């Protein structure tokens, strides 16, 4: 097997700094791989060449644990050489990061989609790389295009017209058997293999074998299945090995780069999924049942942290028991590292956790009320009181936090102006408390309110709910900004609602939308995305802002993560009635359909 090597700058690698070009014309940011750890360099001779695309910037891609894992799984196979592609600079031809080759040199073109908003970017990248976008128009002279990642797991249909094969679920279990099959066929890969893949591998979805029909209102009527393909595709899920099986290693940062979004952070997964049942959160539903990794698996992941990296970021803290957190923290401290936290549960700041935060000299902390008022937090099943947020803010300021970030969504089901005014009131009360504390300590804590627009996602109870609409979201945002304008020590930032609108269109899109995205990616850009879609005869509001009825067949139901539509519809009704839901109780519950109880 080829060894994973530290990267030395290859003279042939094109860099913007040197102005040198490789075999194509993409300019890579100066020395993009310089300082990167975890890079694979393998010879191509007699190996199956695989392109691995992440349709976003290098900084975002290099921080994505899923993409890193797939890169390793591919290259750990001795008969495979996998090279990565990220977004090139505008107008440039995409080339692989490792050897500067174009997409058309690869037999397999794999992509990992984490965010549905990146779907159009992905298609543009494929087009810029010289690929024919419509799968139906490609023959065996073209590479096979294979899709994966949580974005397509949630709903593969918008990218179905461009994709030959989807591999759905968690890569550790879904990818290796399919890869082994493809390696065995290499160099005689071809579309004739697709029906076999669909029939023999439960996580494989071959869109060409399924034919949608629609009713007169445009809603999906049925998916007709051809050949031996299953009626629905079950994503593969990882489980901890039983006694006697090979021990597992929890997910961790396999690529470390000074240019990554979390450049100085080594990330370790404490588990997958979440037991809290927040109704807006797609990850909390499709990763069911929630799984916490054993201390041994987490310890094994920590063993991979290079000595030079001092900070450890723990993912999945929401679920971890205080004793587990304490044990892991002690281990991290023992190794001379400090901890970093993405977001903290306001109602779970135990004295031990606060001690740990203080020892890690945390200066910025994030709390996520998500809903503007207590009523909305009941609707989304966040279950967080204002008092819990106020107390958490003061506790964090007391241990030296100088920036307190609050995440909140606008446009949640049932939201009214009164909810936004309640948020403004909470921020003012929080500010008063922090001010009093700051005066005593001689150091003020700033509040940063970060606002995003709510996007209804498939496989959540809000899959039935309409997106609030750009004009309404802008109005609510202005209301918030107006109320908080001039408040010293309070800053507000917001994502553009138009971006969320595009996500809302694609999130619950179908193949007809996918064909329009292909036309947009391949054609000349005239006007914004809304105008382009409308020009292609597609009404974006039909996808984003149409209320869905209980009982409607959804395009994403081609995937079967085990959650029943009955459960989701009942949860939606409970949400609208302002009733909270139960958290997961693995081993003692069958309510959503995923577990045997
Ligand atoms: S059946 Fe119960 S415990 Fe299992 S995933 Fe569903 S809600 Fe959670």
């Amino acid at each position: 097997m080829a060894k994973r090597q530290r990267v030395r700058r290859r003279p042939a690698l094109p860099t913007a700094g040197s102005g040198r070009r490789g075999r194509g014309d993409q300019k890579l940011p100066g020395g993009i791989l310089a300082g990167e750890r975890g890079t694979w360099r393998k010879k191509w001779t007699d190996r199956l060449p695989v392109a691995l695309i992440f349709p976003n910037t290098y900084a975002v891609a290099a921080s994505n644990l899923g993409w890193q894992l797939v890169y390793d799984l591919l290259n750990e196979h001795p008969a495979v050489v996998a090279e990565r592609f990220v977004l090139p600079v505008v107008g440039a031809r995409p080339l692989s990061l490792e050897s500067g080759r174009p997409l058309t040199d690869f037999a397999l073109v794999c992509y990992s989609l984490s965010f549905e908003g990146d779907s159009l970017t992905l298609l543009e990248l494929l087009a810029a790389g010289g690929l024919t976008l419509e799968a139906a128009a490609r023959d065996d002279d073209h590479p096979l295009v294979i899709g994966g990642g949580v974005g397509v797991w949630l709903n593969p249909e918008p990218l179905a017209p461009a994709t030959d094969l989807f591999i759905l679920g968690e890569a550790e279990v879904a990818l290796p058997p399919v890869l082994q099959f493809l390696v065995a066929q290499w160099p005689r890969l071809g579309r004739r293999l697709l029906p076999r893949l669909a029939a023999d591998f439960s996580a494989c979805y071959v869109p060409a074998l399924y034919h949608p029909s629609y009713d007169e209102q445009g809603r999906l009527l049925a998916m007709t299945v051809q050949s031996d393909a299953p009626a629905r595709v079950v994503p593969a899920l990882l489980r901890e090995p039983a006694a006697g099986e090979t021990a597992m290693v929890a997910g961790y940062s396999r690529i470390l780069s000074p240019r990554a979004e979390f450049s100085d952070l080594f990330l370790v997964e404490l588990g997958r999924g979440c037991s809290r049942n927040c109704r807006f959160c797609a990850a909390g539903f499709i990763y069911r049942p929630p799984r916490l990794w054993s201390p041994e698996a987490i310890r094994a992941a920590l063993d991979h942290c290079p000595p030079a990296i001092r900070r450890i970021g723990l993912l999945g803290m929401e679920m971890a028991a205080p004793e587990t957190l304490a044990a892991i923290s002690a281990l991290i401290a023992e190794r001379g590292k400090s901890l970093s936290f993405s977001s903290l549960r306001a109602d779970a700041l135990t004295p031990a956790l606060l001690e740990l935060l203080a020892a890690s000299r945390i200066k910025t902390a994030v709390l996520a009320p998500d809903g503007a008022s207590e009523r909305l937090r009941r609707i989304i099943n966040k279950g967080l009181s204002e008092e819990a947020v106020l107390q958490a803010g003061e506790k964090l300021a007391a241990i030296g936090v100088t920036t307190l970030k609050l995440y909140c969504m606008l446009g949640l089901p049932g939201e009214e102006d009164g909810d936004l005014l309640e948020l403004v009131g909470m921020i003012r009360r929080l500010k008063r408390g922090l001010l009093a504390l700051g005066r005593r300590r001689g150091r003020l804590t700033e509040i940063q309110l970060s606002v995003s627009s709510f996007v209804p996602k498939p496989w959540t109870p809000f899959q039935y709910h309409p997106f609030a609409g750009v004009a309404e979201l802008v109005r609510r945002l202005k209301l918030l900004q107006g109320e908080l304008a001039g408040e010293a020590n309070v800053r507000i930032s917001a994502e553009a609602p138009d971006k969320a609108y595009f996500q809302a269109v694609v999130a619950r899109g179908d193949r007809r939308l996918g064909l329009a995205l292909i036309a947009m990616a391949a054609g000349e850009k005239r006007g914004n995305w809304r105008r382009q879609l409308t020009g292609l005869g597609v009404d974006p509001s039909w996808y984003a802002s149409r209320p869905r009825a209980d009982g409607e067949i959804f395009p994403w139901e081609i995937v079967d993560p085990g959650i029943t539509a009955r459960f989701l519809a009942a949860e939606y009704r409970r949400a609208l009635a302002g009733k909270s839901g139960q958290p997961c109780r693995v081993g003692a519950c069958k309510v959503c359909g995923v577990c045997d109880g």
Side-chain angles (χ1 to χ4, degrees):
M1 180 189 291
K3 288 257 166 55
R4 181 194 280 261
Q5 300 168 0
R6 280 174 188 277
V7 171
R8 268 168 284 128
R9 279 277 291 279
R10 286 164 47 112
L13 197 68
T15 67
S18 67
R20 268 199 303 269
R21 300 291 177 91
R23 295 171 55 178
D25 56 3
Q26 175 192 32
K27 278 188 177 179
L28 296 172
I32 200 164
L33 295 187
E36 187 187 77
R37 293 165 188 258
T39 317
W40 287 85
R41 288 224 185 265
K42 293 172 86 173
K43 290 206 167 67
W44 274 50
T45 323
D46 297 329
R47 289 198 166 107
L48 167 62
V50 183
L52 179 60
I53 300 172
F54 194 92
N56 209 306
T57 61
Y58 174 82
V60 175
S63 299
N64 186 284
L65 293 195
W67 190 61
Q68 297 178 11
L69 171 70
V70 173
Y71 179 56
D72 266 10
L73 288 173
L74 291 169
N75 277 309
E76 279 164 5
H77 197 297
V80 172
V81 50
E83 300 194 355
R84 295 164 296 166
F85 286 75
V86 293
L87 277 193
V89 292
V90 177
R93 185 181 177 204
L95 298 172
S96 71
L97 297 183
E98 285 78 3
S99 70
R101 285 178 166 86
L103 270 181
T104 43
D105 278 9
F106 293 80
L108 301 180
V109 170
C110 300
Y111 66 81
S112 175
L113 190 88
S114 284
F115 321 108
E116 61 277 88
D118 287 345
S119 300
L120 181 59
T121 321
L122 169 76
L123 294 169
E124 286 168 347
L125 191 152
L126 294 176
L131 260 66
T132 302
L133 291 183
E134 256 195 85
R138 293 194 293 259
D139 59 22
D140 285 346
D141 290 336
H142 295 80
L144 281 173
V145 176
I146 302 179
V150 69
V152 296
W153 182 357
L154 272 173
N155 181 11
E157 289 308 279
L159 286 171
T163 306
D164 296 302
L165 168 70
F166 289 104
I167 304 177
L168 300 177
E170 292 171 343
E172 294 96 330
V173 268
L175 179 60
V178 181
L179 184 66
Q180 186 52 46
F181 172 82
L182 292 169
V183 166
Q185 304 297 323
W186 166 251
R188 288 175 303 283
L189 294 177
R191 275 136 192 91
R192 72 181 195 293
L193 300 174
L194 293 172
R196 259 182 82 188
L197 282 160
D200 294 351
F201 298 90
S202 57
C204 281
Y205 170 42
V206 176
L209 303 179
Y210 299 76
H211 304 285
S213 54
Y214 303 95
D215 68 14
E216 66 284 354
Q217 288 173 48
R219 297 171 305 194
L220 183 63
L221 199 58
M223 269 290 203
T224 312
V225 191
Q226 186 187 314
S227 79
D228 293 335
R232 297 178 72 194
V233 181
V234 180
L237 276 196
L238 182 64
R239 61 167 178 83
E240 277 248 24
E245 293 178 341
T246 313
M248 76 168 272
V249 181
Y252 64 92
S253 298
R254 291 158 181 266
I255 303 273
L256 291 161
S257 165
R259 286 168 184 78
E261 217 172 31
F262 308 119
S263 55
D264 57 346
L265 206 56
F266 184 82
L267 298 172
V268 176
E269 258 185 0
L270 300 184
R272 296 248 171 102
C274 179
S275 56
R276 296 207 172 244
N277 194 19
C278 294
R279 290 179 175 130
F280 61 89
C281 176
F285 285 89
I286 58 160
Y287 284 105
R288 287 181 176 212
R291 291 144 291 156
L292 272 176
W293 306 141
S294 66
E296 294 73 37
I298 295 166
R299 190 186 297 261
L302 285 169
D303 288 344
H304 290 269
C305 181
I309 301 282
R310 312 302 308 164
R311 289 199 309 140
I312 309 279
L314 298 179
L315 304 172
M317 274 185 47
E318 303 78 11
M319 286 193 296
E323 332 58 271
T324 314
L325 265 185
I328 295 162
S329 310
L331 181 69
I332 289 169
E334 215 176 274
R335 297 184 181 191
K337 316 266 186 198
S338 64
L339 271 173
S340 177
F341 300 84
S342 49
S343 141
L344 297 158
R345 275 290 302 191
D347 54 359
L349 288 179
T350 59
L353 183 54
L354 284 164
E355 210 175 292
L356 183 64
L357 293 167
S360 294
R361 295 194 179 82
I362 300 281
K363 292 286 167 242
T364 300
V366 179
L367 298 174
D370 289 317
S373 67
E374 286 193 359
R375 187 182 68 85
L376 284 179
R377 292 195 286 276
R378 264 195 308 281
I379 288 178
I380 63 175
N381 206 33
K382 186 79 189 186
L384 204 56
S385 67
E386 173 171 319
E387 193 50 34
V389 178
L390 297 181
Q391 282 192 14
E394 293 188 17
K395 284 177 189 168
L396 289 166
I399 60 159
V401 166
T402 51
T403 304
L404 185 63
K405 289 188 181 174
L406 297 180
Y407 286 165
C408 203
M409 283 179 282
L410 285 187
L412 284 166
E415 186 176 279
E416 294 166 2
D417 287 358
D419 298 301
L420 307 186
L421 296 177
E422 188 176 318
L423 174 65
V424 171
M426 182 178 83
I427 288 174
R428 288 189 180 132
R429 286 184 280 279
L430 178 61
K431 183 185 141 177
R432 269 203 299 278
L434 296 180
L435 212 56
L437 199 71
R439 284 202 183 109
R440 284 202 299 276
R441 298 170 58 87
R443 194 176 48 217
L444 292 181
T445 298
E446 184 184 74
I447 299 171
Q448 292 182 4
L449 176 65
S450 173
V451 182
S452 61
S453 302
F454 167 64
V455 174
K457 301 274 183 156
W459 297 116
T460 70
F462 295 149
Q463 65 178 359
Y464 305 97
H465 199 78
F467 175 69
V470 174
E472 180 57 19
L473 286 164
V474 168
R475 187 193 69 77
R476 293 184 201 183
L477 188 56
K478 281 189 177 153
L479 190 154
L480 262 187
Q481 286 167 328
E483 289 289 330
L484 290 171
E487 286 282 352
N489 279 325
V490 177
R491 283 204 290 150
I492 178 166
S493 62
E495 243 184 29
D498 187 63
K499 221 169 149 184
Y501 184 23
F502 182 69
Q503 287 170 25
V505 170
V506 180
R508 291 180 290 175
D510 57 19
R511 294 188 184 190
R512 295 167 299 182
L513 175 76
L515 287 171
L517 293 178
I518 285 177
M520 284 165 69
E524 252 181 67
K525 310 278 170 283
R526 290 217 176 87
N528 62 26
W529 67 267
R530 286 193 243 181
R531 192 169 300 167
Q532 289 177 48
L533 268 185
T534 312
L536 290 161
V538 172
D539 173 10
S541 71
W542 190 83
Y543 288 99
S545 306
R546 175 174 66 90
R548 267 84 166 169
D550 178 9
E552 181 173 336
I553 302 169
F554 297 131
W556 51 93
E557 286 173 348
I558 192 65
V559 184
D560 181 11
I563 305 167
T564 62
R566 198 180 52 197
F567 167 76
L568 293 174
E571 273 292 286
Y572 182 49
R573 285 193 295 273
R574 287 179 66 80
L576 294 185
K579 292 182 181 162
S580 51
Q582 290 296 317
C584 277
R585 289 162 296 126
V586 179
C589 155
K590 296 183 182 180
V591 67
C592 80
V594 169
C595 303
D596 296 334

